[in-house]
Amino acid sequence: MRFLKEPLFHFILIGAAIFGWFALVSPNKESGAPPEVIVFDNNDVDLLIARFETTWKRPPNSDELQALIDGAVREEVLVREARKLGLDRGDQVIRARLAQKMDFLADAIASAVEPEDSILEAYIVANPARFATPPRLAFEQIYLGETPEPDEVEAAISKLKAGEDWVTVGVPSLMPKAMPLTAPKAIDATFGPGFHSGLEPLEVGVWVGPVRSGYGLHMVRVTETREGSLPPLADIREAVVLAWRRDTAEDLSLAQYEHLAGQYRIEKPVFGE
Amino acid sequence: MLRLIACLLTLVLIPASALADAVPSKEAAEGTFPARPFSPYANRSFPERPLWGDTHLHTGLSLDAGAFGNTLLPDEAWRFAKGEQVISSTGQPVRLARPLDWMVLTDHTDLMGFAPDLQAGKPGVISDPKGLEWYEGYKAGGEEAGKAAFDIITNFSQMTLPEILLESYSPGADAFAFTWEHIVLAAERHNDPGNFTAFIGFEWTSVPKGFNLHRNVMLRDGPIRALQVVPPVTQPPYGDTDPKALYAWLEEYEAKTGGRAVAFAHNGNLSNGWMFPTEDTYHDGKVDEEYVQNRARWEPHYEVTQIKGDGEAHPYLSPDDPFADYENWDVGNLDITELKTEDMLAGEYAREALKRGLMLEEKLGVNPYKFGMGGATDSHTSLATAEEDNFFGKSVSVEPSATRIQHPFIANDLGEIPGDLLVASGYTAVWATENTRSAIFDAFKRRETYATTGPRIGLRFFGGWEFDDTDLETRFLADVGYTKGVPMGSDLRPREGDGAPKFLIGALRDPVGANLDRVQVIKGWLNANGELQEKVYNVAWSDDRALDADGKLPEVGNTVDLESASWSNSIGASELITVWTDPEFNPDERAFYYARVLEIPTPRWVLYDKLRYNIDLPENAVLTHQERAYSSPIWYTPASE
C-alpha cells in the first residue's frame, strides 16, 4: 500500500480544496437567516427548461413553463419553511441522499487523481498476470497411445530418425496434430494440465519424447516459441490506470472518510469483548 | 463535394456490358488460384480446437441475483471466467479448473441495476416505502433478507412493483442507461481478441404467469454500436412479454447501428408447453408465416442444458430412449403456479422441437426450430461453474455449505424442486476459426456449436454422401469432414446418386475427464403420413460390447467409488470414431440427425458435498450420472421442392 501514499496525499489536498471552495461559494445560501425575497432568475428558468426537455424531448410551451416556475417557487418556499421547522433532521432519505452526495464527490475526486508512472509501474509489477501477455508456444505432436509398449515407442522414434513423414507415425487421433502459437492455459485445456510445462524446456525443431498428456504418451516437436512480456507502460497505460483506479478507489474513499471522521471526537458505546 | 458525387455517379453508371467484358475466360483464370499446397496446415481455414464458453451468466446487477445477496459485479464475473481466483459473495475463494475461452454476460434487463442500489440503500430506493422495507430486510440478513428477496421476485412476476421504482430502473431512466453502460464497458475492458472474448449481452426475461419464455441476446458488436441503444424489458409500460417485441427490438438494433445480434431461448421445460408452439402462441398469436420467419431469423441457437434442467429429451416423449430420463425438471412452470401435464411436454423439449420444425417447414415453408445446441450455467452468482467438483450453485443462497442441499429451489403448495436437483451444467463449445467476437458469433449463426453438461468432450460431426470406412484411417479427420461433407449445424448437400446420408463422427474425452461410453445418432423425421418419428442409434461404443437384435447396447458399467467420489477410466474409451450410414433412409422424408455422446458414470455434485461436509443426503438423491454432449443437428430436405 506504500504506492498509495502519494496519491492519497494529492487526494486529500484536492479534497480539502474542493470542500473549502464549496464552503466559500455557498455562504448562508442554504442556512442561516431567512432571506426576505425569493429571486428566480434566468439561469434558474433555463435549468427548468433543460430538465423538461430531457423528459419530453421538446421545450415547454408558455403555460407549461409558468407551471414549472410556480412549482419551483412553491418547492423553494416549502423547503425553506421545512428547514426552519427542522423537518430535514432525522429524515433517513434526506440523510442518505446527503451522505451519497459526499460519496459521489469523493468518487469524482478519486477518478481525477492522475497517478504517476512510478506508481503505475509498481502496480503492474504487483499484478503481472493481469497485464502481461502470456508466453506462447507452437508445436506438433504424434500420439503414441494411452499406454504404448516400449517397442512401439522405439519404433516411432526410429521412424522419425529415418526421416519418415511424421504425420504417418503413431496412432491416429482427434487431438490437434499441430498447435499454432498458443498460451499455456489453452495448451493445458486441450491436452491436460502440465502438458505445457513439459514442452517449455524443449529445444525448437527437434522431436522429443515420450511426453505425457491427459490422453497418454506423445512425441512432440516445438516449432516456435514467443516469450511472454510485460508491455511497456505507454502501451497499456489506459488499462492500467482504469484497473488501478478500481482497486484504489475503495482505499481512497476509506482514507477520505477517515480524514473527515478524524475531525470529530466520536463517542459511541462499545459492545462485545 | 459536388465533384465527389459526380465521381460516384460515374462509378455507378458503368454499363453492365462493360462488366461482362471484364469476366476473364476460364483458361485465363487457371493458375490464378494455386493448387492445394503440400503442407496440410497451409491455408487452413477451419477450426483446430473447440472454444469453450458460457452463454448465460448473471451478476449482482440482475434483480433476483442481487436481491439474493450477489455482490459481485461484471468485473469479477469476467475475471473469474478468465481463470482468476475471486472471493464469492459468501466469502469463499473460488477458481475455475480451466479458464473459459469466451462468455456472454446476460443480466436480466428488467430493473437492471436496482439490486446494487438496494444493497447500498440508495435514496432512489428507500424513498419508496416498499423499497425501504426491502432494504431493511436485506440489511437484517438471514431469513429476513430471503423474505425480502422473495417478495421482490413475486412483485416482479405479478407485475406489482412500485411504479416509482419501475420507472427509475427502466428504459428512459438514467440509472438504467448507466447500468447498461457499465455492462458494455466492462465487457469491452475484458475483451481480449485472440485470448478471451467478452460478449455484450442481456437476458430478456419474459415470464408471463410463470411460463418461462426467457431469451438471451448476444451482440456481435462493441460499445460503439451497443451504446446507441438500451436493451428491451418486459414489464409494461416499458416493455412487453411477447417475443414479437424482442424481434422488433433486434430488427431496430441492426437497422439503427448496423450491428448484428442473435437471441436464444432456454428452459422450455419450465414453459408448460409454450416454448415451441405449433398452433397458438401464448400471446394469442398464431404460428403463422410471420412467426416462423421471425423465429428462424433471430433464434438460430437453443440453450439445451443448464442449472434448471436438461432439455434435450423427456422419457414421456421418447419412451424407447433409456437415456432421455436425465436431469429433467417436469413439475410445473417456473414458479410452480401451474403443474405440468403430459400434453405440455411436446412443446418443451429440444428433440421434439426439432421434429415440430420439420412439420412446420412442410406447412409454412420455413423451419422455425432449426437451431444449434448449446449449454450454459445460468448461474446467478457471477461464477460460471459447471463442473461437478467445483459447483457454486444457482444463487448465492446455495453457494457451497453443509446445508445447501436442504434448500429447495422452489417449494409451494403445488409442488417442489428440491435443492439436490440443481444441475451442474453446462458449457457451449464453438467451432470458430479464431477467438474473437466476430468469429464466434458467426459460428453461432451457422450453428457450428455443441452443448455439454460440463465436461470438455471433443466432438466432430460431419454429414455427407461419400464418407466411407477408409476415412477412419485419416490422420486429418477435419480435413476429410469439411472437404467431403458439411459440419454440424448445416444442411446436407444436395443428394447425388441413390445413396443414404453418411456421417463421419469423432468424439474425444475431456483431457482430465471420464472416458466415453458411446456415441449415438438421433434421427428425427416426418413420414409420408405426416407423422413425426424419432429413433436413437448406437453408432460407436467402448469395450467389447455387441448390439442386441433391437440395436440396444449393454450398459458400460460403473466404477464410481461412493466413499471417495472417484472413478476409474478402466472402462470406456478415450476416443470413438465412426462412419455411420442411415440404414432406414427415405429420400422423400424431411429429417435431421444429431450426435449424442455419453461419458461413463461419474459422481454428481451432491456426492462431493456429502464427502466434503460429511453430511447425509436425501434418500433418493442421485449420486452418479452419465454426462454428455449434444451436437447441433444436420438437416436433410428432399430435393423435389
Side-chain angles (χ1 to χ4, degrees):
Chain A
M1 284 296 137
R2 204 160 53 102
F3 65 86
L4 262 180
K5 276 195 178 156
E6 203 180 341
L8 193 59
F9 176 68
H10 290 173
F11 176 73
I12 288 171
L13 223 60
I14 301 173
I18 291 186
F19 290 126
W21 183 74
F22 266 103
L24 219 66
V25 296
S26 51
N28 301 331
K29 207 173 179 182
E30 303 279 334
S31 64
E36 298 292 319
V37 285
I38 290 175
V39 180
F40 231 74
D41 63 17
N42 284 340
N43 289 339
D44 298 317
V45 173
D46 288 347
L47 193 66
L48 290 176
I49 293 174
R51 263 191 221 153
F52 184 92
E53 282 180 348
T54 52
T55 310
W56 299 102
K57 315 289 178 213
R58 62 172 175 85
N61 62 32
S62 60
D63 284 352
E64 286 165 339
L65 186 58
Q66 193 56 54
L68 286 174
I69 294 172
D70 291 347
V73 169
R74 180 171 188 274
E75 184 184 273
E76 182 66 24
V77 169
L78 293 181
V79 166
R80 289 188 193 194
E81 291 305 308
R83 281 234 177 83
K84 280 186 233 166
L85 294 172
L87 295 184
D88 52 338
R89 282 175 224 131
D91 182 314
Q92 194 172 359
V93 174
I94 293 176
R95 292 170 60 86
R97 183 70 189 159
L98 289 174
Q100 187 191 31
K101 281 187 155 179
M102 287 298 283
D103 280 340
F104 282 158
L105 208 51
D107 286 351
I109 297 166
S111 63
V113 174
E114 197 53 54
E116 286 175 14
D117 286 1
S118 59
I119 293 163
L120 294 179
E121 271 154 12
Y123 182 74
I124 295 174
V125 172
N127 301 279
R130 276 162 99 173
F131 304 108
T133 52
R136 285 162 183 279
L137 192 149
F139 64 95
E140 296 160 339
Q141 63 85 17
I142 294 167
Y143 185 50
L144 301 173
E146 206 164 339
T147 49
E149 299 297 327
D151 58 320
E152 290 173 306
V153 177
E154 280 309 316
I157 292 173
S158 30
K159 277 184 190 170
L160 288 173
K161 276 188 184 150
E164 272 190 41
D165 180 2
W166 68 273
V167 166
T168 63
V169 180
V171 186
S173 144
L174 289 168
M175 290 165 235
K177 291 186 179 48
M179 292 279 276
L181 283 172
T182 305
K185 281 178 181 173
I187 292 176
D188 283 359
T190 309
F191 287 90
F195 196 67
H196 170 264
S197 57
L199 300 183
E200 216 174 7
L202 302 185
E203 193 184 331
V204 173
V206 183
W207 282 105
V208 181
V211 176
R212 184 163 286 286
S213 78
Y215 296 107
L217 296 182
H218 305 251
M219 298 296 296
V220 292
R221 176 164 70 178
V222 175
T223 50
E224 197 183 346
T225 60
R226 200 162 295 171
E227 280 184 23
S229 63
L230 274 174
L233 177 60
D235 293 358
I236 52 169
R237 196 168 199 288
E238 202 180 337
V240 179
V241 170
L242 277 175
W244 178 84
R245 284 210 180 113
R246 263 200 322 282
D247 273 13
T248 49
E250 224 165 277
D251 296 317
L252 288 176
S253 62
L254 184 64
Q256 166 71 13
Y257 169 72
E258 280 168 356
H259 174 71
L260 294 174
Q263 300 167 9
Y264 294 83
R265 190 164 56 83
I266 297 168
E267 291 174 8
K268 55 184 176 185
V270 179
F271 298 101
E273 298 294 297
Chain B
M1 188 63 187
L2 272 178
R3 195 182 298 170
L4 182 65
I5 292 172
C7 274
L8 286 172
L9 283 175
T10 346
L11 280 177
V12 173
L13 291 178
I14 292 175
S17 60
L19 286 175
D21 290 345
V23 175
S25 68
K26 194 183 169 213
E27 291 72 31
E30 266 172 28
T32 312
F33 302 101
R36 194 179 169 81
F38 173 77
S39 165
Y41 299 112
N43 301 339
R44 276 213 160 174
S45 60
F46 55 78
E48 277 291 348
R49 68 179 185 96
L51 297 173
W52 292 94
D54 184 358
T55 53
H56 192 172
L57 180 75
H58 295 273
T59 73
L61 294 175
S62 286
L63 178 65
D64 50 355
F68 278 104
N70 183 352
T71 54
L72 303 188
L73 297 180
D75 224 41
E76 281 95 349
W78 289 119
R79 285 177 35 219
F80 181 77
K82 289 169 142 177
E84 284 187 43
Q85 178 164 319
V86 304
I87 303 294
S88 81
S89 298
T90 51
Q92 310 186 53
V94 53
R95 181 176 193 164
L96 281 177
R98 288 166 282 179
L100 297 178
D101 296 308
W102 57 271
M103 186 164 78
V104 194
L105 221 162
T106 53
D107 276 308
H108 294 297
T109 56
D110 284 286
L111 267 79
M112 194 170 71
F114 169 77
D117 286 2
L118 172 73
Q119 292 170 1
K122 293 277 174 71
V125 175
I126 60 175
S127 56
D128 180 85
K130 201 73 186 161
L132 185 61
E133 181 191 320
W134 290 333
Y135 170 61
E136 281 169 350
Y138 181 81
K139 264 202 316 191
E143 214 162 289
E144 286 299 303
K147 230 188 272 174
F150 200 76
D151 194 38
I152 293 173
I153 307 306
T154 308
N155 276 282
F156 170 71
S157 43
Q158 300 303 319
M159 299 191 175
T160 50
L161 287 166
E163 235 166 80
I164 179 75
L165 292 183
L166 195 56
E167 184 187 339
S168 315
Y169 294 91
S170 289
D174 283 351
F176 189 84
F178 292 153
T179 303
W180 175 238
E181 189 180 83
H182 178 163
I183 289 167
V184 169
L185 295 183
E188 191 60 15
R189 275 200 301 278
H190 289 278
N191 188 44
D192 181 9
N195 293 315
F196 181 87
T197 297
F199 281 102
I200 298 165
F202 57 84
E203 179 167 9
W204 178 79
T205 316
S206 167
V207 57
K209 297 254 163 41
F211 303 133
N212 182 80
L213 298 176
H214 296 181
R215 262 54 164 203
N216 286 317
V217 171
M218 81 192 268
L219 307 185
R220 190 179 191 259
D221 313 302
I224 292 174
R225 290 193 166 111
L227 290 177
Q228 293 179 38
V229 297
V230 291
V233 296
T234 65
Q235 294 272 311
Y238 305 96
D240 193 323
T241 58
D242 189 338
K244 272 186 187 172
L246 177 65
Y247 301 145
W249 184 91
L250 291 164
E251 176 110 40
E252 196 192 318
Y253 171 75
E254 293 200 345
K256 178 175 179 180
T257 70
R260 290 289 175 269
V262 290
F264 43 92
H266 64 88
N267 286 110
N269 61 335
L270 304 174
S271 73
N272 277 9
W274 290 109
M275 183 57 81
F276 300 109
T278 53
E279 297 286 340
D280 300 312
T281 71
Y282 173 80
H283 293 89
D284 295 329
K286 286 282 168 204
V287 177
D288 52 14
E289 274 174 36
E290 186 193 348
Y291 182 89
V292 296
Q293 278 166 9
N294 268 325
R295 187 114 183 197
R297 174 175 176 197
W298 296 113
E299 302 194 39
H301 184 82
Y302 183 65
E303 187 180 306
V304 70
T305 181
Q306 61 124 284
I307 279 183
K308 296 196 302 285
D310 190 280
E312 184 236 347
H314 189 279
Y316 172 78
L317 303 168
S318 305
D320 297 334
D321 178 359
F323 298 98
D325 186 10
Y326 180 72
E327 307 275 12
N328 299 133
W329 283 22
D330 52 10
V331 177
N333 54 355
L334 183 57
D335 53 6
I336 316 192
T337 47
E338 181 185 279
L339 287 177
K340 186 88 64 206
T341 53
E342 286 176 343
D343 58 308
M344 296 172 181
L345 292 167
E348 301 198 328
Y349 284 81
R351 186 185 300 173
E352 206 63 24
L354 291 167
K355 285 155 63 181
R356 289 181 158 196
L358 301 179
M359 185 264 284
L360 288 168
E361 186 174 39
E362 180 90 16
K363 181 173 153 193
L364 297 167
V366 175
N367 180 347
Y369 306 132
K370 195 171 186 176
F371 50 74
M373 304 269 208
T377 64
D378 195 7
S379 294
H380 281 53
T381 56
S382 306
L383 308 169
T385 61
E387 288 182 327
E388 306 293 323
D389 65 348
N390 193 25
F391 181 50
F392 263 60
K394 163 81 181 162
S395 60
V396 166
S397 53
V398 288
E399 285 190 4
S401 78
T403 55
R404 67 165 160 171
I405 282 178
Q406 297 159 17
H407 297 299
F409 168 76
I410 184 164
N412 62 25
D413 298 343
L414 287 179
E416 178 183 2
I417 304 278
D420 61 293
L421 288 196
L422 288 180
V423 191
S425 177
Y427 290 133
T428 300
V430 178
W431 289 111
T433 43
E434 55 180 25
N435 191 350
T436 60
R437 282 179 179 154
S438 51
I440 295 174
F441 182 94
D442 293 350
F444 269 80
K445 287 280 266 193
R446 61 175 191 268
R447 299 176 283 262
E448 210 176 337
T449 63
Y450 63 94
T452 85
T453 54
R456 301 196 180 185
I457 299 166
L459 178 56
R460 296 278 198 184
F461 183 60
F462 298 100
W465 304 97
E466 295 166 13
F467 293 119
D468 56 49
D469 282 354
T470 61
D471 293 329
L472 299 178
E473 285 148 38
T474 176
R475 304 269 163 164
F476 298 100
L477 185 109
D479 285 50
V480 176
Y482 282 102
T483 315
K484 290 169 76 172
V486 294
M488 59 178 73
S490 311
D491 289 297
L492 278 172
R493 289 179 191 157
R495 180 165 178 250
E496 284 175 13
D498 50 10
K502 297 166 193 296
F503 297 86
L504 175 62
I505 312 165
L508 177 66
R509 76 163 161 84
D510 184 326
V512 298
N515 268 347
L516 306 177
D517 163 11
R518 69 184 73 193
V519 177
Q520 300 172 308
V521 172
I522 287 117
K523 178 187 179 186
W525 71 98
L526 179 67
N527 72 13
N529 302 328
E531 294 157 344
L532 292 169
Q533 308 287 315
E534 69 171 61
K535 189 160 180 178
V536 180
Y537 297 91
N538 291 301
V539 303
W541 52 90
S542 72
D543 305 303
D544 288 324
R545 289 178 284 167
L547 296 181
D548 70 12
D550 300 330
K552 297 262 185 279
L553 191 65
E555 286 182 11
V556 70
N558 189 337
T559 66
V560 175
D561 175 11
L562 296 177
E563 302 306 314
S564 63
S566 63
W567 78 94
S568 142
N569 276 343
S570 55
I571 57 171
S574 235
E575 276 193 29
L576 293 169
I577 304 180
T578 193
V579 169
W580 178 77
T581 307
D582 180 358
E584 292 159 277
F585 179 64
N586 180 338
D588 299 327
E589 294 170 346
R590 294 171 190 279
F592 65 82
Y593 304 83
Y594 65 90
R596 181 171 70 183
V597 183
L598 299 176
E599 280 189 347
I600 62 170
T602 51
R604 264 185 99 235
W605 64 274
V606 294
L607 190 59
Y608 294 98
D609 270 32
K610 174 182 158 69
L611 298 177
R612 288 174 190 172
Y613 291 116
N614 194 23
I615 51 170
D616 292 326
L617 296 178
E619 257 175 41
N620 55 354
V622 178
L623 304 181
T624 68
H625 62 163
Q626 290 188 265
E627 297 216 60
R628 51 199 67 196
Y630 309 119
S631 83
S632 291
I634 292 176
W635 285 267
Y636 167 76
T637 310
S640 54
E641 312 194 24

